[in-house]
Amino acid sequence: MRRPLLTCVAALALLLTGCTTGSEGPDDGVVRLRFQSLAWQQESVDANRELVKEWNATHPDVQVDYVQGSWDSVHDQLLTSFEGGEAPDIIHDASDDLADFAYGGDLADLRPLLSARLRADIPARSWETTTFGEGVYGVPFLQEPRVIIANRRILESSGVRVPTPEKPWSWTEFRQITQDLTRSMGPGRYAVAWPLKEPVSVSLNLGLSAGGQLFHRESDGRVTVRFTEADAVVPGTVHDQVVTDRTAPRTTLGSGGSDTLPGLFAGKYAMVPLGFAYRQQIAQQAPKGFEWTVLPAPAGSAGLTQGVSPQTLSIAESSPHKKEAAAFLDFFLRPGNMVRLARGDWMLPTGTAALADPALHTARDGWATGAAVAEKLSPAPAQSVRGYPEWKDKVATPAFQEFYSGAIDTAELRRRLVEDGNRVLARYQRR
Amino acid sequence: MSVLRTSGPARAGQYLALLAYLVFLAFPFLWLISTAFKPAPELASLHPTWIPKDPTLDNFRQAFGEQPLLRAAANSLVAAVAAALIAVAVATPLAYVTARHRGRLASAATGWVVISQAFPFVLVIIPLFLILKNLHLINSGPGLVLVYVVWSLPFALWMLMGYVRAVPAELEEAAAVDGAGRLRTLVSVTAPLLVPGIVATALFAFVTAWNEFFFALVLLKTPEKQTLPVVLTHFLGAEGVADLGPLAAAAFLATLPSLLVFAVLQRRITGGMLAGAVKS
C-alpha cells in the first residue's frame, strides 16, 4: 500500500510543480501593459495581434501583452478584476457596459490623456457614448449599425422598390412592401424574419429613426421612461408584421441572428434585419450562387438615425502606466490602423479619417451602405442610464417578447415599460 | 432473498424508457460530432443532416490554427488531475471519521455540504479573488487547483460518506477480533472496499474541474495559463454569435478526456463493491 501512496504524492508534487506561479515580469525597466481584447473573428484577432506586434517592435521600453477575453463574460470578469486590483491596463468593451465601471471609479478619465488628434478625429456623437458625468471613460472605435440583409434575386424579381441610403423605405412603406413581397413569394415563405432574441436593443436603437427616445433626462438629472407615439412606431411595425400581416414568422422571434441565416439562404425569408458584422458569416456560409445585398434600415421622421453602442478601449484607473497606455491607444487607433480593425471585424470605424478610406466605400459586401449610414449613428438611448441592465432584463425584455408574439397589446406594453420600468430606475436614482 | 419480477410488457416499457433516455442524453453529443465535421454551407442549411454530406476536417484545422487548444487542454488536464487527487486525499479520511462517528460533527458536516452547494460562483468570487491575491496565487496553477479542491470538497465528502457507511462496521470489528490494529484494519480491510467510491469521487472532482469556466476565466490572467473552457469562449462573439464549426470541433475534443477517463475507470466504479466481502 505504501508504494501507491508514494506514487500518488510524487505525481501530485510533479503536477503542482508544472503549474508555475504567476510573476509580475522581470524588473528590467520595461513598462509592460496588459491589453485585454475581445476580438474573436480570426481576421480581427490577426489585425489586433499585428498591431500589437508593430507597437512592440518600435517601442522596446513599453511592451504590450495581448490577452484575448470573451464577450460572453467580460462584465463579471472585469468586475472581479477591478475589485481585486488586477485589472488589465487597456480594456476592450462595449460602451453600454461602461457606465457602472465609470461611475464606480474603475476607469481612468481619458480627457487629460488622449491626443488632440484622436479627440478631433472621432465625432462628438460617438464621444457621447463614453461620456459619463464630466469624464470620458473609453475611446469609441468600432460601431455596428443594424441593416437589412436581403436575398437580391427575390427582391429584384418581385419588382418592389429597392431602397438606398439616399432614398430609404419609410416604416410604413416597409410594412407595405413586406406584404407585397410575402404575397409574391408564396405559402410558407416570408418577406422578413426578425431575430429578436435581444428585443430591447433592436427596438430602442431602431426606434430612434422614428423619433422614439423612451429615456428622458429631466432637468434635475433624473431619467424617466416615457412611451410616446414615436416610440410605438418600430415595435408596432414588427408586431403587425408578425401578428396581423403574417409577413414575418413568429418562430424567429426567440432566435439569434445566426439562426435565421439558413432560412435566408434557402429563400424562406427574403430579408433579415441584422447587425452589420453578420456580413462576415454570410460571406463565409452562403451557398454558391447566393446573391445578397445590404439595405439600410427603414427611416422615420428622424431619417436613418439609429442608436449604437460602439466598441471601446478604456484604461484602468489602477494602471500605473496610464500615459503609456494612452500612447498605445493613439497608435492603435491611427486612421490606417482603425481601417484594419474595422475590416477585420466587418464593422465601421468611428474615426472620420478612417471612415473616409475608399476600402470602406466599395459596393462589395455592402460596405458602402454601412458607410453611408455611419454619419446617422447616435448613442443608444439607454447608453448612460443607471439601472438600464435591470430594466432591460426584468421589465423590457419580457414585455417586448410578449408584445411581439401578440400576447399583450400596446397599452400593456406601455404600462410595463413605463410604470414597472420607472420603479426600477427610481431605485438607482435615490439620493 | 426475493427477486422482483416484472412482466414482459412492463420490461419492454422499461427498456423503451431507458432507450429514450439514452437517446436524449446522446443527442447533443452526436449532434456536436456531426457539426464538427460539416463544411460551412452545410452548417447553414435549412435542412440539417445527421451525417455530413461532405465531411471535412477544416473545422479542426481552423480551431487548432486559431487557438492554442493543446496548451489549454494540457493546462486543464494538470489542474483537473491535481484537483481530483487532492480532493480525494483530503475527503477520504474526513469522510471516514464523519461517517463512523455520528454526532454533531456529522450533522455539521452535512449542513456545511448543503449550504456550500447553494452559493453561486459570483457571490464567492470576489472575496476568493482577494484572498488568493494576498497569497500571490492569482494567475497560477496552484491557486486554481486550490479553488477547485475547495469547491469540490463538500460534495466529494458527501459522496464518500455514503460509500463509507456502506462498508459494514462488522468487518472492521471482525478484523479487530482477529488481532488487526486500527491502522491495519483501515489499510487492509476498509480501504480496498472504498476503492470504487474513491474512484467515483475522483472522477466527479476531475470532471468538475475539467469543465469549470468562471474561476479559470477570472483567476488566470495570461494566455499561456488559460484552460480549455476559457479558450473555447474565444469562438464566441457578442450577442451569442459563434464560429460554429471550429467551436464544435474544439468542444468535441474537449469532451474526449472525460469520456476516456470514464471508459477506463468504469469497471472500477461498477465492479461490485463489497463483492465477496461478506458471507451471506
Side-chain angles (χ1 to χ4, degrees):
Chain A
M1 189 67 196
R2 186 165 290 175
R3 197 185 294 166
L5 187 69
L6 282 173
T7 314
C8 277
V9 171
L12 201 59
L14 267 173
L15 281 167
L16 289 176
T17 317
C19 312
T20 50
T21 329
S23 72
E24 299 299 317
D27 188 16
D28 52 7
V30 175
V31 170
R32 291 181 194 282
L33 301 173
R34 199 148 45 88
F35 167 32
Q36 180 172 291
S37 164
L38 301 180
W40 70 283
Q41 299 187 93
Q42 195 52 35
E43 294 160 287
S44 174
V45 173
D46 289 346
N48 274 269
R49 284 186 188 280
E50 282 164 17
L51 288 175
V52 168
K53 205 170 160 187
E54 287 170 24
W55 166 272
N56 285 342
T58 51
H59 296 79
D61 298 341
V62 182
Q63 293 290 288
V64 174
D65 294 328
Y66 179 88
V67 183
Q68 196 173 349
S70 161
W71 281 108
D72 210 25
S73 46
V74 65
H75 186 85
D76 288 338
Q77 192 213 5
L78 286 177
L79 187 68
T80 314
S81 301
F82 285 132
E83 290 294 330
E86 289 280 336
D89 300 278
I90 301 158
I91 296 160
H92 183 184
D93 203 349
S95 62
D96 60 356
D97 193 40
L98 297 185
D100 286 342
F101 297 136
Y103 287 119
D106 299 316
L107 300 176
D109 181 359
L110 300 179
R111 287 175 302 168
L113 297 168
L114 294 179
S115 67
R117 178 202 67 78
L118 193 55
R119 288 300 303 265
D121 186 40
I122 295 173
R125 62 177 182 275
S126 293
W127 285 117
E128 277 177 41
T129 63
T130 55
T131 302
F132 303 98
E134 295 294 310
V136 173
Y137 295 94
V139 184
F141 72 113
L142 289 178
Q143 52 190 346
E144 183 185 22
R146 201 159 284 270
V147 291
I148 295 175
I149 309 286
N151 182 320
R152 184 195 291 272
R153 277 190 198 166
I154 293 178
L155 204 65
E156 290 179 349
S157 65
S158 70
V160 300
R161 183 178 79 79
V162 177
T164 62
E166 296 74 34
K167 204 174 174 200
W169 289 327
S170 68
W171 284 100
T172 313
E173 190 182 5
F174 177 52
R175 189 178 163 195
Q176 181 59 53
I177 276 171
T178 54
Q179 288 173 348
D180 298 343
L181 209 49
T182 303
R183 238 187 329 267
S184 70
M185 287 171 72
R189 293 168 189 267
Y190 301 88
V192 62
W194 284 97
L196 288 176
K197 198 174 183 179
E198 301 280 346
V200 182
S201 62
V202 176
S203 309
L204 264 62
N205 289 341
L206 287 180
L208 283 186
S209 66
Q213 191 67 37
L214 213 63
F215 293 96
H216 298 268
R217 198 169 287 277
E218 312 297 344
S219 55
D220 62 355
R222 286 169 190 258
V223 174
T224 53
V225 182
R226 288 202 292 273
F227 190 83
T228 63
E229 288 301 312
D231 290 299
V233 171
V234 173
T237 305
V238 178
H239 170 273
D240 291 347
Q241 286 174 326
V242 174
V243 178
T244 314
D245 305 342
R246 307 287 170 91
T247 54
R250 196 183 296 261
T251 47
T252 62
L253 291 178
S255 306
S258 303
D259 305 323
T260 57
L261 295 185
L264 178 71
F265 297 150
K268 188 175 179 184
Y269 319 128
M271 300 182 283
V272 183
L274 290 169
F276 198 53
Y278 271 94
R279 295 169 305 129
Q280 195 259 0
Q281 286 205 359
I282 292 165
Q284 191 184 39
Q285 295 179 2
K288 275 184 186 170
F290 180 78
E291 293 177 29
W292 55 283
T293 185
V294 178
L295 311 175
S301 58
L304 283 171
T305 304
Q306 61 173 281
V308 284
S309 298
Q311 292 189 19
T312 57
L313 291 169
S314 303
I315 298 174
E317 176 62 26
S318 59
S319 171
H321 306 294
K322 294 189 190 71
K323 276 187 185 169
E324 290 84 351
F328 172 73
L329 290 188
D330 190 53
F331 161 82
F332 196 70
L333 300 177
R334 284 178 189 167
N337 295 343
M338 227 192 245
V339 173
R340 287 161 71 181
L341 293 168
R343 284 170 62 85
D345 249 331
W346 290 64
M347 287 192 178
L348 294 170
T350 54
T352 314
L355 198 55
D357 192 289
L360 303 180
H361 290 265
T362 168
R364 187 182 163 83
D365 297 330
W367 280 105
T369 304
V373 170
E375 64 183 44
K376 300 289 185 184
L377 301 178
S378 296
Q383 194 64 54
S384 58
V385 177
R386 302 198 78 176
Y388 168 73
E390 187 181 337
W391 176 84
K392 185 182 80 165
D393 293 341
K394 290 187 179 167
V395 176
T397 298
F400 274 117
Q401 279 171 341
E402 288 180 47
F403 177 67
Y404 288 138
S405 66
I408 59 172
D409 60 10
T410 311
E412 177 62 10
L413 175 70
R414 176 184 284 114
R415 191 199 66 74
R416 290 212 210 165
L417 294 180
V418 176
E419 286 181 28
D420 297 353
N422 279 329
R423 263 199 293 274
V424 170
L425 295 191
R427 280 199 286 110
Y428 288 83
Q429 300 182 93
R430 283 183 192 137
R431 297 181 186 220
Chain B
M1 195 162 85
S2 67
V3 179
L4 193 65
R5 291 189 185 282
T6 49
S7 64
R11 179 166 294 184
Q14 285 172 352
Y15 278 121
L16 204 64
L18 184 65
L19 187 69
Y21 186 57
L22 285 176
V23 169
F24 173 73
L25 288 181
F27 177 80
F29 184 61
L30 294 177
W31 193 249
L32 182 72
I33 298 173
S34 170
T35 305
F37 289 96
K38 281 180 182 171
E42 268 190 70
L43 287 172
S45 168
L46 191 60
H47 304 290
T49 49
W50 268 106
I51 299 170
K53 287 179 198 159
D54 190 13
T56 176
L57 291 173
D58 282 353
N59 293 326
F60 290 90
R61 281 191 208 102
Q62 199 181 332
F64 278 98
E66 288 180 9
Q67 298 295 338
L69 291 177
L70 284 180
R71 186 177 67 200
N75 291 342
S76 282
L77 194 65
V78 168
V81 171
L85 290 178
I86 298 173
V88 291
V90 175
T92 305
L94 277 176
Y96 182 81
V97 172
T98 318
R100 283 285 183 259
H101 304 282
R102 296 190 185 198
R104 284 184 185 168
L105 179 64
S107 304
T110 311
W112 172 53
V113 167
V114 174
I115 291 168
S116 67
Q117 297 300 304
F119 288 128
F121 281 17
V122 285
L123 200 68
V124 296
I125 188 69
I126 290 174
L128 192 66
F129 191 96
L130 293 170
I131 292 167
L132 290 174
K133 189 187 168 197
N134 288 333
L135 295 172
H136 301 287
L137 286 174
I138 294 292
N139 198 31
S140 80
L144 189 67
V145 169
L146 185 65
V147 171
Y148 287 168
V149 169
V150 171
W151 198 252
S152 60
L153 202 54
F155 198 77
L157 181 61
W158 203 5
M159 273 179 83
L160 277 167
M161 276 163 61
Y163 282 101
V164 172
R165 281 182 191 139
V167 176
E170 290 80 1
L171 279 177
E172 293 172 6
E173 288 163 10
V177 169
D178 289 346
R182 188 87 178 164
L183 189 63
R184 177 69 185 270
T185 304
L186 284 175
V187 171
S188 302
V189 177
T190 313
L193 297 173
L194 279 179
V195 167
I198 291 172
V199 171
T201 309
L203 267 179
F204 155 76
F206 175 85
V207 172
T208 304
W210 176 264
N211 292 331
E212 201 285 324
F213 165 70
F214 191 59
F215 286 134
L217 173 83
V218 169
L219 298 177
L220 302 175
K221 300 287 168 196
T222 51
E224 296 75 28
K225 290 175 180 166
Q226 287 178 335
T227 57
L228 201 52
V230 176
V231 171
L232 283 181
T233 64
H234 295 169
F235 295 104
L236 295 171
E239 291 189 17
V241 188
D243 207 352
L244 201 56
L247 175 64
F252 168 55
L253 293 173
T255 59
L256 289 183
S258 296
L259 290 178
L260 283 175
V261 170
F262 268 104
V264 170
L265 297 179
Q266 191 186 22
R267 277 185 58 209
R268 279 284 191 189
I269 303 169
T270 54
M273 185 179 168
L274 300 184
V278 184
K279 289 177 185 171
S280 55

